[in-house]
Amino acid sequence: MNYKELLSQGAFKYKDKIALYYGDQKFSFQELEARINQAAHALLSLKVSNGTRVAIILPSGPDMVTVFFGVTKIGAIAVTIDTRVAGADLDYLLRDCQAQVVVINSAILKPLEHRLTSFEHLKQVIIMDEAIPSPHLSYKEITSSCPNTPPETQVSDDDVDMIQYTSGTTGNPKGVMTTHGSHYTALRLIAEIYGQTEKDIFLIPEMPPAWLICQLIGSWALGSPVAVVVQPGHLPFLETAGRIKASIAFTPMPIIFQMDKMPDSEANRFKLTSLRLLITGGLAPGQEIFKSIRSRFGVPLILGYACNEAGGWIALQPLDGSGVPGSCGKPFPGTQVKILDESGRQSGTNQVGEIIFQGPGMMKGYYNRPLATVEAVRNGWLFTGDLGKMDEEGNLFIVGRKKEMIKIGDREILPTDIEEVLGTHPKIAEVAVMGTDKGLKAVVVLKHGSSATAQDIINFAQKQLRPEDVPDTIEFVTSLPRTLTGKIQRWALNK
């Protein structure tokens, strides 16, 4: 199924039922369909057509949703860009995707304005708000006279729906292309596995645009509304969950950590009796957090493993909260996972190797990167570049990134192994380990108000680590460079 069919069927079947809660705003299926149709007609009037790349640089709210589905409803390609991307990083993405149209707010455009002429493929800039600097187009003006009926366009399940960029932890981000059909199939399957129905309300905090879009597609396929918490932090998240009686929620790990640190007196204020699933992703936190969340909030915390190239989950813990500590669960239904050693053979039980998978939502490829695509997708399997292992029961454990493996002489060292140990130092807030021409280096962020010398850290390491794993040098910094999703940008530490 493509999104044109998804939206039309949703409006016909669910009509005035709420499809999207955004803060205090509510939008029904029919209302969103009308807004999206107007956006689609406006884009058609600007000669946007099948395959045209439209960069959307808007907050993850109703306007972004309207434009995204307006773009994809006519077979054009939506390039979702987080509004926090700026400067050279934003320039890189716009050039890499060869954006022909940009939809943006005036405040975000202002620092970019003087560089627009450097983007050779760019033809039009559409401004969403009222401040319209010449010679750009006003979204309000181009949509005001457009009909709210479905456009007469042909969209195929094999058409590319969107380009979303990888986080760029080990190099420049790559544009992941997915298709209408594969993305819809994978995201609907996720919602079905959750046991989601039109009676459920799915809650998420404000997140990067592609994440919201993915949740909308899966939920709307089953008539389930999605609620977005506009204010940041754990308190608005918990308050909203209770107020709207959300039954399923996804949140990144930082909010989980905040919930875990809440005093009991504060946590007891929140009655989450309607919430039956709390889902998160990333490296597995300590098992104490899983126990804490369940005992204090009465909901199981479920960990999953995904990547942009998968179009959905690769693995997910059992939904009853019985996941094996440290693992991200078993391969998701419809997905096959293997662990390969350096020679390309399948690794044995509990042996670390590269994670590869096959699944229904696999990407079509990296935009304008044929060599990177061939390297990543081989014989129908996608090579993730992530390192992991599987136990006797088929549970998957993530241990790091293949490109982050440190090679010194004939030794290979996983930086995360050393980081986990150094991270137990009482004065260390964060640490990243890398290889240099002088050996191992640990880049350390101290806790607020703490002080320590390089020798203090080395002395600690000598007591806790094998001699060959003790860092040769220590560098103190105030913060570690991170991607928008919170991952450490190790390549930036070598600059």
Side-chain angles (χ1 to χ4, degrees), residues 43-356:
L43 291 166
L44 286 171
S45 72
L46 299 177
K47 308 302 182 187
V48 174
S49 60
N50 192 287
T52 301
R53 292 164 303 285
V54 180
I56 305 170
I57 315 174
L58 297 171
S60 294
D63 287 343
M64 185 279 295
V65 171
T66 298
V67 175
F68 175 90
F69 286 108
V71 168
T72 55
K73 201 166 196 179
I74 61 175
I77 301 172
V79 185
T80 53
I81 298 178
D82 196 297
T83 55
R84 293 172 293 179
V85 179
D89 293 333
L90 178 56
D91 291 2
Y92 168 81
L93 297 186
L94 291 175
R95 287 197 178 93
D96 188 74
C97 74
Q98 300 175 328
Q100 296 152 288
V101 179
V102 170
V103 186
I104 192 169
N105 285 337
S106 57
I108 303 171
L109 174 66
K110 189 173 181 180
L112 178 67
E113 179 87 38
H114 68 283
R115 303 195 301 275
L116 289 178
T117 55
S118 68
F119 303 115
E120 58 179 309
H121 295 89
L122 185 59
K123 298 175 182 177
Q124 291 153 329
V125 175
I126 302 172
I127 312 296
M128 287 298 296
D129 53 17
E130 298 298 324
I132 315 298
S134 177
H136 308 310
L137 300 171
S138 161
Y139 179 82
K140 184 177 181 180
E141 290 181 6
I142 64 174
T143 57
S144 61
S145 60
C146 289
N148 60 14
T149 53
E152 295 295 329
T153 53
Q154 296 297 318
V155 182
S156 164
D157 289 6
D158 294 328
D159 287 342
V160 174
D161 64 330
M162 67 189 298
I163 296 173
Q164 54 178 312
Y165 276 86
T166 58
S167 56
T169 54
T170 56
N172 285 328
K174 297 187 288 290
V176 175
M177 297 184 294
T178 50
T179 66
H180 285 253
S182 65
H183 221 179
Y184 171 84
T185 299
L187 296 171
R188 178 176 178 133
L189 176 62
I190 290 171
E192 290 174 343
I193 295 298
Y194 291 162
Q196 200 168 344
T197 72
E198 60 185 87
K199 295 180 181 180
D200 287 300
I201 298 177
F202 199 112
L203 181 71
I204 60 173
E206 193 163 25
M207 297 163 65
W211 297 20
L212 171 57
I213 292 298
C214 289
Q215 190 51 61
L216 290 174
I217 293 168
S219 296
W220 287 355
L222 301 177
S224 175
V226 173
V228 180
V229 183
V230 178
Q231 295 82 13
H234 63 297
L235 295 179
F237 182 80
L238 291 168
E239 186 279 326
T240 305
R243 176 170 50 82
I244 68 171
K245 300 189 183 306
S247 49
I248 310 173
F250 174 88
T251 182
M253 197 60 74
I255 286 182
I256 300 297
F257 288 139
Q258 291 173 336
M259 291 170 61
D260 178 57
K261 292 177 182 177
M262 292 173 68
D264 288 339
S265 58
E266 188 177 37
N268 290 338
R269 292 195 296 112
F270 296 97
K271 307 301 181 185
L272 305 181
T273 54
S274 63
L275 194 63
R276 59 183 174 84
L277 289 177
L278 180 58
I279 303 159
T280 190
L283 292 176
Q287 188 61 19
E288 304 314 320
I289 289 183
F290 289 85
K291 294 178 181 177
S292 168
I293 296 298
R294 185 155 200 169
S295 65
R296 300 168 80 200
F297 298 98
V299 59
L301 177 62
I302 312 301
L303 180 70
Y305 164 60
C307 64
N308 290 341
E309 292 89 340
W313 291 119
I314 296 173
L316 188 70
Q317 289 181 336
L319 299 183
D320 62 0
S322 63
V324 174
S327 86
C328 55
K330 296 181 180 180
F332 201 75
T335 299
Q336 293 179 277
V337 175
K338 292 181 181 179
I339 310 293
L340 301 187
D341 63 19
E342 284 291 330
S343 65
R345 292 190 293 267
Q346 195 159 348
S347 296
T349 301
N350 291 316
Q351 296 298 307
V352 173
E354 183 174 4
I355 301 169
I356 70 171

